[in-house]
Amino acid sequence: MVILEIDKISKSFASVVANKEISFSLNQGEILALLGENGAGKTTLMNILFGQYSADSGQIKAWGKILPANSTDAALKVGIGMVHQHFTLAENMTVLENVMLGTQSLFSLRSDTRAARAKITRICQTMGLSIAVDSYVSDLAIGERQRVEILKALYRDAKILILDEPTAVLTPQEVEGLFEMLRNMQKSGLSVIIISHKLDEILAISQSIVVLRQGEQVAKISTSSVDRGELAELIVGKKVLQPITHQLPPGEPVLHLKDVNLFKDSKGKYQLKNINLILHERQIIGIAGVSGNGQRELAEVISGILKINSGSFEILQRDCRSLSIKQLRKLKVARIPEDRHSAGIVGDMSVWENLMLEDLGADPCWSWGFWIKRAAAKTRAEQLIKKFDIRCANMQMPAKLLSGGNIQKLILARNFQLEPKLVLANQPVRGLDEGAISFVHQQLIDAKAGGSGVLLISEDLDELLRLCDYVQVMHNGELSKAYPREALTPKLLGILMSGGQLDTTDTPQILSSGSQINAV
Amino acid sequence: MQFEAREHTPLAFLLVVPLIAVLCSMLFASLLIMWAGQSPLQGFALIFEGAFGSTFAITETLAKTTPLIFTGLAAAIAFKAKFWNIGGEGQLYCGALAITWLGTGMIDLPPWLMIPFLIMVGMIAGATILMLPVFLKTQLKVDEVVTTLLLNFIILLFVGYCLEGPLKDPMSMGWPQAAPIIDNGIFPQLIERSRLHIGLIFALLAAVITWAIFRFTLWGFEIRAQGLNATAARHAGIKPNWTILKVALLSGGLAGLAGVSEVAGLKGYLTLDISPGYGYTGIAVAMLANLHPLGVILSALFLASIFVGADFMGRSIGVPNFIADIMVATSVLCILIGLLLCKYRIRFNPRLSKTSSVNREVS
């Protein structure tokens, strides 16, 4: 039975067409996947469906009736529930309170917790959810918080559940749990729209797939009729070539961290605990982990932003514990920051000024003492723009107007012009499209071939397993030993990411993952 | 109603916005002039006449422009780095107080040394007093808006104390004023028998130098980077506390210079009313100029002409000269709204626009 019809929805922001005449329908008990690259218009479409934006044209019918545009209330009322990528929970409240939040009348003096509790129990039983209703949200792991979000939607009698990138923050094991739950819900008649760009997961869970590309609907197919390759081609619009990497003989150690500790405050709460890491020339070492387990701190230590409390930190056999950011930079450390918009560029400055942002004052090609060599700097910037193929109307335009991929190219240009010895890449391809991803990966591989050591921090396990020679896993501020790529699978990485241990023999086996201490 | 970010701001917008802001403020002021029972056209004619109608009027306007350029630059530099120095008024009086202390006979140098000496002393004094808020901000994270603002009152009361006590001129017949600056330290006049002095040249120089600092030097780049995106600046190794310190030195120094120019240039001696709030008006000057150092010259001239002209209008037809303050306030408000519209466009009721708006956007 068709319960939701999306009929020729179009929406544009200024001159950017986010959605162009998109039409598909959803059956009861169906899991439909909405696929596309970043910026393909998936989230916009779902925000229109949920009443947060209004479409420029087209309409949405739920159970045969037209859904009023731009009304979240109306969407909630007919039974559309949305779980956003970033959770919207009050951490200092219990699960029960969070679920009830906003469902009661503002003027009612009593709150009927007993009825609410009964309803939650009923939902949990029929849907196969397990959750401790009275625990505080701040004590819950990420996967559990997601369950609370889903429960919130179900409590409001959602019959269509929209999940925006639900697996982005989960370990592979948690993803399994989520999918099992979704299958249970499906059996009890719930329909799900799941937004993602992870192909394997989509193929595993969905029955039909809608593919968006640059705002247009390029395919509506049933999952059983496609394979991974075809799907990737549909998403990108062309065959995707993945850069290949070869093992090279490692050279001298470039980066050496020994027993590094970093405390949050004087109480001695660890942010980094006993970190050991050796990175050699012509090597890529990956740091895996669920975000928030100390990767950011590790990156900031190596960039010189944070100073370690104990241990040794050497780059090219030189003690770097007390060096400033600029001094570290002189040791030829290239840094690709995690958040390229806020840490990588000054958006309101021009492209050419952003190209000299990090080395102004240190590199004589930009300035002569105190004075900026404007003419020479612009010539230099023009060369870099050409060499790294930064697509911009002109170098005077503010850097914030560049696309994500071009911003990343700008940052790469700035960093790779100094022929770095050490490359620190923190989530270098997050949010980029396939073309930009392979460009960035190729640059990292070239850097490795050119003799640098590359430290790649990523949450994307495929990326790590494809590029890295060794992978180390971060969990709760601690870093595992280095595992060679050949010995790892996404599943084994998942165990390490949630705090489990692997056997150390050649055939890796699970030793102790029973405790499953989840990272918060 | 929705706000949408513009990708490109047409250059014409940036030029037209200040003009429209000025027109709006005139429109608002004309309502008030009508309320006072006079014709707005006559009022504006009188304002213009009062500001530019004679050599005397022009020199008066330029004399008033001088301190506004200094305090406007002081605010513009600080605001560029998002260091909210609201203490221009206090720093101005600090500069004035310091040269009164050293320049009324304690030190005597030939004029070609004395004037630069006084300028230096005033700048150092203005910058020094700003070090306290800088210290509190960088070391203890105390908000500089509060500290710089409140410091104004402390300094003003201290100046009042000095004028009634240790620095009081025994020849002043009881008026709370300090002894005059010695002749070697007095700024030469630019035009005979006018109040226009060489301070204007210094102010114009200061604006050009500030502009050059922002455009051509490392300091300017770092200050701009920090103001526009502190996270990226920090990541690039620009030390936030050092940048604030540099900004404070420049900003406080320029505000102190305003005090020097008023005492050594205009009045000759320190009183408690050398500044009718130039420090605060400097903020309006900077905003009106969109923090551009050369724009500060124009906006200072504009505000000075309004003040001087409104005084003249008040004397001629009895409309209160508070209208000047209202015009300044409305023009600053209009400029802020105008700049917002430069960055965003407003779309009314997007549901009605439907497909036609899509086509318009694409074409």
Side-chain angles (χ1 to χ4, degrees):
Chain A
M1 189 181 81
V2 174
I3 53 173
L4 185 76
E5 276 176 86
I6 288 177
D7 188 18
K8 292 193 174 162
I9 288 286
S10 296
K11 171 79 181 173
S12 49
F13 297 99
S15 57
V16 181
V17 180
N19 286 153
K20 191 175 172 192
E21 303 211 334
I22 291 174
S23 308
F24 60 86
S25 58
L26 179 70
N27 293 315
Q28 187 172 4
E30 183 184 24
I31 297 181
L32 181 143
L34 199 55
L35 264 179
E37 298 192 303
N38 279 286
K42 299 167 297 192
T43 304
T44 306
L45 183 63
M46 287 305 106
N47 280 331
I48 292 171
L49 175 57
F50 194 53
Q52 281 169 333
Y53 295 151
S54 63
D56 294 334
S57 67
Q59 61 185 20
I60 297 168
K61 275 190 203 167
W63 287 275
K65 271 183 258 167
I66 291 178
L67 196 67
N70 215 354
S71 162
T72 313
D73 279 343
L76 282 170
K77 212 171 263 172
V78 305
I80 298 173
M82 183 152 179
V83 175
H84 289 275
Q85 196 174 353
H86 304 283
F87 302 152
T88 52
L89 297 171
E91 293 202 4
N92 54 349
M93 292 176 139
T94 65
V95 172
L96 180 71
E97 287 166 335
N98 263 291
V99 170
M100 288 174 71
L101 209 62
T103 60
Q104 292 164 297
S105 160
L106 201 59
F107 303 102
S108 128
L109 287 177
R110 51 189 272 285
S111 81
D112 196 353
T113 49
R114 196 185 305 168
R117 204 180 280 271
K119 188 171 178 184
I120 291 174
T121 318
R122 203 173 62 238
I123 293 170
C124 286
Q125 272 168 1
T126 48
M127 300 292 180
L129 273 164
S130 77
I131 206 144
V133 179
D134 289 309
S135 48
Y136 283 91
V137 168
S138 53
D139 297 333
L140 299 183
I142 300 291
E144 292 174 298
R145 291 183 193 206
Q146 190 170 50
R147 258 176 268 162
V148 179
E149 283 282 2
I150 293 172
L151 183 62
K152 250 168 75 178
L154 297 179
Y155 183 80
R156 289 170 179 236
D157 304 312
K159 297 179 196 78
I160 300 168
L161 199 60
I162 306 170
L163 301 171
D164 188 2
E165 304 263 357
T167 61
V169 290
L170 304 181
T171 63
Q173 279 73 15
E174 286 175 316
V175 171
E176 266 311 304
L178 172 73
F179 283 0
E180 206 175 302
M181 203 164 75
L182 289 181
R183 287 192 193 103
N184 278 331
M185 294 177 186
Q186 186 184 7
K187 271 178 214 147
S188 60
L190 198 83
S191 309
V192 179
I193 299 178
I194 181 168
I195 302 176
S196 181
H197 56 244
K198 293 187 181 169
L199 302 183
D200 296 322
E201 292 172 5
I202 292 307
L203 288 167
I205 187 76
S206 69
Q207 280 87 51
S208 51
I209 298 174
V210 170
V211 182
L212 301 187
R213 187 165 71 222
Q214 287 166 4
E216 290 188 55
Q217 182 175 338
V218 291
K220 152 103 197 188
I221 35 181
S222 88
T223 308
S224 51
S225 67
V226 283
D227 65 22
R228 199 183 186 286
E230 290 165 2
L231 215 46
E233 217 177 306
L234 277 173
I235 293 172
V236 186
K238 58 176 187 245
K239 278 236 184 290
V240 186
L241 295 173
Q242 289 180 336
I244 22 173
T245 171
H246 303 285
Q247 196 117 32
L248 299 170
E252 297 289 302
V254 179
L255 171 69
H256 189 180
L257 297 174
K258 191 156 178 279
D259 297 328
V260 165
N261 285 307
L262 179 76
F263 306 125
K264 192 170 195 168
D265 46 41
S266 53
K267 283 176 204 137
K269 199 177 170 224
Y270 284 102
Q271 284 183 309
L272 294 176
K273 192 175 178 184
N274 285 330
I275 302 284
N276 284 294
L277 189 155
I278 303 181
L279 174 66
H280 294 87
E281 290 171 338
R282 290 186 289 280
Q283 226 179 26
I284 302 183
I285 289 188
I287 305 289
V290 178
S291 92
N293 272 292
Q295 297 96 316
R296 169 197 288 264
E297 286 77 13
L298 180 66
E300 293 197 343
V301 162
I302 298 170
S303 330
I305 298 173
L306 291 176
K307 298 275 172 268
I308 59 175
N309 296 89
S310 65
S312 82
F313 163 32
E314 287 175 1
I315 292 176
L316 299 166
Q317 272 117 17
R318 211 184 130 175
D319 181 17
C320 294
R321 275 175 300 179
S322 55
L323 293 193
S324 72
I325 298 172
K326 294 247 178 202
Q327 285 168 323
L328 275 172
R329 186 86 186 156
K330 277 197 191 137
L331 297 178
K332 300 204 166 175
V333 181
R335 302 166 306 158
I336 302 169
E338 182 179 5
D339 185 339
R340 68 185 77 94
H341 287 95
S342 76
I345 58 161
V346 179
D348 286 309
M349 279 186 160
S350 63
V351 171
W352 72 271
E353 284 175 309
N354 270 288
L355 279 167
M356 60 184 190
L357 179 66
E358 284 182 278
D359 299 305
L360 187 59
D363 190 335
C365 76
W366 301 114
S367 66
W368 183 75
F370 195 61
W371 294 93
I372 296 171
K373 296 195 282 193
R374 286 176 71 91
K378 281 182 187 169
T379 319
R380 169 89 179 189
E382 197 162 330
Q383 289 164 358
L384 288 173
I385 287 170
K386 219 172 259 163
K387 189 172 167 201
F388 286 84
D389 189 29
I390 304 168
R391 308 262 169 86
C392 56
N394 59 64
M395 65 167 107
Q396 294 288 357
M397 72 189 256
K400 67 178 174 190
L401 297 181
L402 298 177
S403 69
N406 280 308
I407 288 177
Q408 198 67 318
K409 284 184 193 167
L410 191 160
I411 294 168
L412 287 174
R414 196 169 71 203
N415 280 287
F416 283 113
Q417 56 151 333
L418 32 104
E419 287 159 4
K421 292 305 292 177
L422 168 63
V423 179
L424 169 67
N426 194 353
Q427 315 286 359
V429 300
R430 181 196 274 168
L432 297 185
D433 60 41
E434 293 286 340
I437 288 175
S438 63
F439 181 87
V440 173
H441 283 167
Q442 193 58 55
Q443 289 291 329
L444 294 181
I445 291 166
D446 291 350
K448 167 184 164 177
S452 346
V454 180
L455 190 69
L456 173 62
I457 301 176
S458 176
E459 285 160 34
D460 184 340
L461 305 186
D462 290 338
E463 179 186 21
L464 289 171
L465 292 175
R466 212 167 59 233
L467 293 181
C468 299
D469 301 306
Y470 291 90
V471 178
Q472 291 179 263
V473 180
M474 271 207 114
H475 177 253
N476 266 347
E478 292 184 69
L479 194 60
S480 76
K481 70 184 197 69
Y483 295 94
R485 164 175 64 176
E486 302 78 41
L488 287 171
T489 62
K491 200 168 170 196
L492 293 175
L493 273 176
I495 292 167
L496 289 167
M497 280 160 69
S498 52
Q501 301 280 320
L502 297 188
D503 196 345
T504 44
T505 55
D506 285 341
T507 47
Q509 278 177 345
I510 306 160
L511 255 190
S512 67
S513 63
S515 56
Q516 282 284 333
I517 316 148
N518 278 312
V520 178
Chain B
M1 196 177 108
Q2 285 182 326
F3 280 95
E4 274 182 4
R6 289 176 195 275
E7 289 125 62
H8 302 281
T9 306
L11 188 66
F13 254 67
L14 289 172
L15 298 174
V16 168
V17 158
L19 285 179
I20 293 178
V22 169
L23 283 177
C24 283
S25 74
M26 285 173 73
L27 204 71
F28 195 71
S30 57
L31 293 177
L32 293 169
I33 297 175
M34 282 198 297
W35 193 15
Q38 300 292 340
S39 136
L41 281 181
Q42 191 201 359
F44 288 125
L46 284 171
I47 288 179
F48 189 81
E49 196 193 330
F52 301 109
S54 61
T55 319
F56 171 76
I58 292 174
T59 57
E60 277 301 293
T61 304
L62 290 179
K64 197 131 191 156
T65 307
T66 306
L68 287 178
I69 292 177
F70 284 127
T71 54
L73 287 174
I77 289 176
F79 290 5
K80 275 231 168 168
K82 297 231 157 64
F83 177 73
W84 307 110
N85 175 16
I86 316 292
E89 188 77 359
Q91 291 137 29
L92 181 152
Y93 273 102
C94 271
L97 192 65
I99 65 159
T100 302
W101 176 46
L102 291 174
T104 50
M106 184 184 285
I107 286 164
D108 193 359
L109 299 165
W112 61 272
L113 266 179
M114 190 67 188
I115 291 174
F117 171 72
L118 289 184
I119 287 177
M120 228 174 61
V121 166
M123 289 186 79
I124 290 171
T128 309
I129 199 68
L130 195 47
M131 288 305 106
L132 184 65
V134 166
F135 173 80
L136 290 173
K137 182 186 171 71
T138 53
Q139 302 305 313
L140 304 169
K141 298 199 165 67
V142 182
D143 186 21
E144 74 276 15
V145 173
V146 179
T147 50
T148 52
L149 179 67
L150 293 184
L151 208 51
N152 286 342
F153 302 104
I154 297 174
I155 293 166
L156 221 65
L157 288 169
F158 181 70
V159 171
Y161 154 77
C162 288
L163 292 181
E164 292 286 359
L167 287 182
K168 188 168 182 174
D169 183 8
M171 313 293 279
S172 71
M173 298 185 298
W175 292 104
Q177 65 183 47
I181 302 290
I182 55 169
D183 287 347
N184 283 353
I186 293 289
F187 285 9
Q189 285 171 335
L190 280 181
I191 294 172
E192 282 292 306
R193 280 197 301 280
S194 77
R195 301 209 296 160
L196 188 59
H197 53 87
I198 200 168
L200 179 67
I201 307 292
F202 294 148
L204 295 176
L205 263 176
V208 172
I209 291 172
T210 309
W211 170 76
I213 287 177
F214 277 117
R215 192 173 165 83
F216 296 110
T217 73
L218 236 61
W219 273 26
F221 185 88
E222 292 182 355
I223 291 170
R224 281 194 299 136
Q226 169 141 344
L228 293 169
N229 184 347
T231 315
R234 193 173 88 116
H235 196 266
I238 297 170
K239 292 180 180 144
N241 290 353
W242 277 108
T243 311
I244 289 177
L245 186 71
K246 288 172 199 163
V247 162
L249 286 173
L250 287 171
S251 175
L254 282 166
L257 198 44
V260 174
S261 137
E262 286 305 282
V263 169
L266 195 78
K267 204 145 186 180
Y269 53 89
L270 174 64
T271 62
L272 207 47
D273 57 1
I274 52 160
S275 159
Y278 288 138
Y280 301 108
T281 312
I283 296 168
V285 171
M287 292 307 230
L288 209 55
N290 197 14
L291 308 188
H292 193 289
L294 297 182
V296 161
I297 298 175
L298 288 179
S299 70
L301 179 66
F302 169 67
L303 293 197
S305 62
I306 299 250
F307 281 125
V308 173
D311 259 350
F312 183 74
M313 176 183 70
R315 284 195 302 275
S316 312
I317 54 172
V319 175
N321 60 5
F322 293 119
I323 275 186
D325 290 320
I326 292 171
M327 282 187 72
V328 169
T330 44
S331 59
V332 169
L333 278 179
C334 291
I335 258 284
L336 291 179
I337 295 168
L339 288 176
L340 185 75
L341 292 180
C342 281
K343 283 187 185 155
Y344 300 92
R345 69 164 70 83
I346 299 179
R347 289 227 286 166
F348 292 99
N349 205 351
R351 246 172 292 170
L352 291 178
S353 47
K354 294 261 172 183
T355 45
S356 61
S357 74
V358 177
N359 298 337
R360 234 191 356 260
E361 301 294 11
V362 170
S363 65

